[in-house]
């Protein structure tokens, strides 16, 4: 599982790193990773230096991921040996898991999916797969050229958008981009069909039965289909991501006064107490007081205690129907702890993300992305930067020109996209634009 599509041709004297340490370095030093510092996490980038960005969220997820790895190795040493769990691998996955997300958070994702609907769609995790396997210029054509196990760990949804799409969920396309309703155009979570050869290479070591099972989906009458399985390493990364989102991202909202203790008690503390989780429900009243304390160190202490309670609850479970151990095991949070974490995540969603002032920023970003796409697609050879023009012209042979446009726009930071939009559409803005982000 340490094979790479482009075999390593040059060895460096004195380099004793393993494959996953090399992969971590490639992620850390990539342009795609650096751009996360200027991409929205929950609150808009630029409103305050305090807010978490996609970059700080990824760093926190990586720290949580290594914590999960350590405790799983301690609790399940035999399985850990069988799976050859590696802390550097899990850290790599957590650092890289968001690099495919476009500017302006989910507003940008909906915008690109809407514009790409007839050209294969768009989804942030599918774009992560493209970046690590093709787009990041660590190699000429193979992206970061990560080893197979690292790539597998970053595939959260192992099927293709066209297979997962339930077309009945989409409404009639409005006459104006300003009338696009985000809830009507959420993408299914999966890979792009144009990347199927790379996915085939990724799954080559598995049996046909494992491949078929791995790609199975759940069907919902009025929703997109959803994939059912993920690899063991990916399950750890996803848990770390959820904990970082549910607990760490909550801190921003508390400090900025966007949420209050009364709502938190009603929506989180009381229902969590009813779950009667040993070591969590009984300490939550005291932790609630600390979370909303004016003393910074008390809030940090509460955040650390909450994160620890979720990390230490995680177990390794067997997944029926698989032969290969990387698919036959998953890290899993016990049901009650999962319900508890969902309370935190839903609180952040309802009281922070769904706030009208936050949604105004998301809508604004959504419009910026759609209008940039509309402009560039009108005359790519005139408006695109030269290196992107070359990729666009080359893609005409395979009919993937629009995918090149979505690659270009999704790689923008919030600020870059805003400035470029102003250059294109504001009469008072202009000048030579820095396009050195591709």
């Amino acid at each position: 599982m340490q094979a790479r599509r482009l075999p390593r041709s040059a060895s460096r004297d004195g380099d004793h790193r393993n494959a996953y340490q090399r992969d971590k370095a490639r992620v850390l030093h990539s342009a795609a990773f650096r751009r996360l510092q200027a991409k929205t996490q929950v609150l808009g980038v630029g409103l305050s230096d305090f807010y978490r960005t996609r970059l700080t969220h990824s760093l926190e997820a990586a720290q949580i991921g290594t914590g999960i790895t350590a405790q799983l190795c301690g609790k399940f040493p035999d399985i850990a040996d069988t799976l050859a769990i590696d802390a550097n691998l899990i850290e790599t996955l957590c650092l890289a898991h968001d690099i495919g997300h476009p500017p302006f958070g989910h507003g940008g994702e909906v915008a690109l999916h809407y514009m790409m609907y007839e050209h294969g769609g768009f989804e942030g995790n599918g774009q992560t797969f493209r970046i690590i396997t093709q787009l990041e210029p660590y190699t000429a054509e193979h992206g970061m050229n990560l080893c197979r196990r690292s790539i597998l760990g970053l595939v959260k949804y192992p099927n293709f958008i066209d297979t997962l799409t339930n077309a009945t969920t989409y409404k009639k396309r409005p006459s104006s981009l300003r009338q696009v309703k985000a809830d009507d155009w959420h993408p299914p979570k999966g890979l792009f069909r144009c990347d199927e050869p790379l996915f085939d290479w990724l799954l080559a070591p598995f049996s046909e039965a494992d491949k078929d099972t791995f790609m199975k989906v759940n069907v919902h009458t009025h929703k997109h289909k959803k994939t059912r399985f993920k690899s063991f390493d990916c399950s750890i990364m996803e848990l770390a991501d959820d904990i970082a989102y549910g607990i760490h991202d909550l801190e921003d909202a508390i400090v900025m006064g966007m949420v209050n203790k009364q709502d938190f008690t009603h929506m989180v503390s009381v229902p969590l107490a009813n779950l009667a989780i040993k070591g969590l429900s009984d300490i939550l009243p005291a932790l609630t007081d600390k979370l909303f304390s004016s003393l910074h160190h008390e809030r940090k202490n509460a955040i650390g205690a909450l994160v620890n309670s979720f990390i230490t609850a995680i177990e390794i479970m067997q997944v029926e129907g698989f032969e290969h151990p990387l698919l036959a095991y998953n890290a899993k949070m016990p049901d009650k702890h999962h319900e508890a974490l969902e309370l935190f995540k839903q609180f952040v969603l309802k009281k922070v993300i769904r706030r009208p002032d936050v949604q105004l920023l998301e809508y604004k970003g959504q419009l910026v992305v759609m209008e940039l796409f509309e402009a560039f697609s009108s005359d790519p050879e005139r408006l695109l930067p030269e290196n992107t023009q070359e990729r666009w012209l080359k893609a005409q042979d395979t009919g993937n020109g629009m995918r090149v446009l979505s690659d270009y726009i999704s790689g923008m930071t919030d600020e870059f996209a805003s400035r470029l939009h102003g250059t294109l559409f504001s009469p008072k803005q202009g000048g030579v634009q820095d396009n050195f982000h591709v």
Side-chain angles (χ1 to χ4, degrees), residues 29-243:
H29 295 292
S30 68
F33 180 72
R34 289 196 303 276
R35 283 186 210 114
L36 295 178
Q37 69 186 305
K39 289 192 178 187
T40 294
Q41 172 59 14
V42 172
L43 303 174
V45 172
L47 294 179
S48 168
D49 290 338
F50 179 83
Y51 292 155
R52 283 168 167 83
T53 63
R54 289 273 179 189
L55 180 65
T56 57
H57 163 76
S58 298
L59 293 171
E60 287 172 336
Q63 186 270 331
I64 293 170
T66 55
I68 295 172
T69 303
Q71 72 93 23
L72 290 180
C73 288
K75 287 167 65 175
F76 305 93
D78 293 339
I79 300 177
D81 286 343
T82 299
L83 297 171
I85 301 176
D86 189 287
N88 286 292
L89 167 62
I90 302 303
E91 191 174 3
T92 300
L93 303 183
C94 293
L95 291 171
H97 79 280
D98 266 354
I99 60 174
H101 282 268
F104 307 112
H106 292 292
E109 185 176 52
V110 167
L112 279 176
H113 181 61
Y114 178 81
M115 301 305 288
M116 287 290 293
Y117 176 62
E118 296 178 350
H119 309 284
F122 179 89
E123 198 271 329
N125 297 282
Q127 191 66 19
T128 294
F129 185 76
R130 282 182 65 76
I131 290 171
I132 60 175
T133 59
Q134 300 172 69
L135 301 179
E136 181 64 34
Y138 181 85
T139 63
E141 296 178 348
H142 300 291
M144 295 184 193
N145 194 36
L146 303 183
C147 64
R148 184 181 264 115
R149 183 166 174 175
S150 295
I151 298 173
L152 180 68
L154 285 165
V155 177
K156 293 173 70 173
Y157 309 105
N159 211 310
F160 300 96
I161 283 181
D162 56 350
T163 299
L164 299 166
T165 296
N166 180 349
T168 63
T169 66
Y170 296 125
K171 310 299 182 186
K172 182 179 178 181
R173 293 179 73 88
S175 58
S176 167
L177 295 180
R178 299 185 179 219
Q179 295 177 334
V180 174
K181 186 178 178 181
D183 287 346
D184 292 343
W185 291 93
H186 283 296
K189 295 182 180 296
L191 305 172
F192 308 140
R193 182 62 70 177
C194 59
D195 298 328
E196 187 171 8
L198 299 172
F199 188 62
D200 289 342
W201 173 87
L202 177 65
L203 299 189
F206 300 115
S207 68
E208 289 303 316
D210 271 3
K211 291 179 191 177
D212 291 342
T213 304
F214 190 51
M215 294 180 68
K216 284 186 176 179
V217 301
N218 289 326
V219 178
H220 303 275
T221 305
H222 302 295
K223 296 181 180 179
H224 296 306
K225 299 171 189 173
K226 292 184 178 180
T227 57
R228 296 172 55 186
F229 302 107
K230 54 184 61 63
S231 70
F232 172 73
D233 303 318
C234 185
S235 71
I236 297 178
M237 176 267 282
E238 189 165 49
L239 286 170
D241 184 24
D242 284 348
I243 294 171

Side-chain angles (χ1 to χ4, degrees), residues 240-437:
D241 184 24
D242 284 348
I243 294 171
Y245 168 72
I247 308 301
H248 281 299
D249 289 358
L250 171 65
E251 184 182 11
D252 282 358
I254 293 174
V255 174
M256 303 310 293
M258 301 179 75
V259 296
N260 59 56
K261 185 177 178 181
Q262 181 179 353
D263 286 340
F264 182 82
T265 300
H266 174 69
M267 296 179 64
V268 180
S269 300
V270 171
L272 202 154
N274 293 333
L275 291 173
I277 301 173
K278 185 180 179 181
L280 180 57
S281 295
D282 51 343
I283 65 172
L284 194 61
L287 292 182
T288 300
D289 290 337
K290 288 184 176 181
L291 276 174
F292 289 88
S293 169
S294 59
L295 300 176
H296 182 78
H297 68 276
E298 287 195 349
R299 187 175 62 255
K300 283 296 183 186
N301 179 275
I303 293 287
L306 287 169
V307 170
N308 180 71
S309 67
F310 286 112
I311 288 178
T312 53
I314 294 171
E315 302 170 339
I316 296 178
M317 60 164 283
Q318 193 153 9
V319 183
E320 297 297 330
F322 288 104
E323 302 167 17
H324 199 287
L326 284 181
L327 304 181
Y329 292 96
N330 268 188
K332 186 178 184 295
M333 201 174 282
D335 290 342
K336 285 193 173 182
H337 281 81
H338 175 75
E339 287 182 51
L341 186 56
E342 282 299 312
L343 291 173
F344 284 91
K345 290 168 62 179
Q346 286 299 311
F347 182 72
V348 172
L349 176 66
K350 293 175 181 177
K351 288 296 180 179
V352 182
I353 295 176
R354 291 297 185 186
R355 278 174 58 118
D357 52 350
V358 175
Q359 285 301 305
L360 280 173
L361 291 174
E362 190 169 294
Y363 172 80
K364 181 180 178 181
Q366 174 183 313
L367 200 57
V368 165
V369 169
M370 289 191 295
E371 289 183 344
L372 285 176
F373 193 101
E374 186 177 51
F376 286 121
S377 62
S378 71
D379 198 345
E381 292 184 71
R382 178 186 182 192
L383 299 176
L384 288 173
E386 290 183 7
N387 54 347
T388 310
Q389 279 186 42
E390 292 173 6
R391 287 186 56 230
W392 183 82
L393 288 168
K394 186 177 179 181
Q396 298 311 297
D397 296 336
T398 55
N400 287 327
M402 292 301 186
R403 181 63 60 193
V404 172
L405 294 186
S406 90
D407 288 341
Y408 175 55
I409 295 172
S410 69
M412 297 177 183
T413 63
D414 295 17
E415 175 61 23
F416 183 92
S418 295
R419 283 192 287 112
L420 185 55
H421 185 271
T423 299
L424 276 169
F425 298 109
S426 176
K428 294 185 178 180
Q429 293 187 37
V432 177
Q433 182 79 9
D434 170 20
N435 283 302
F436 189 68
H437 81 277

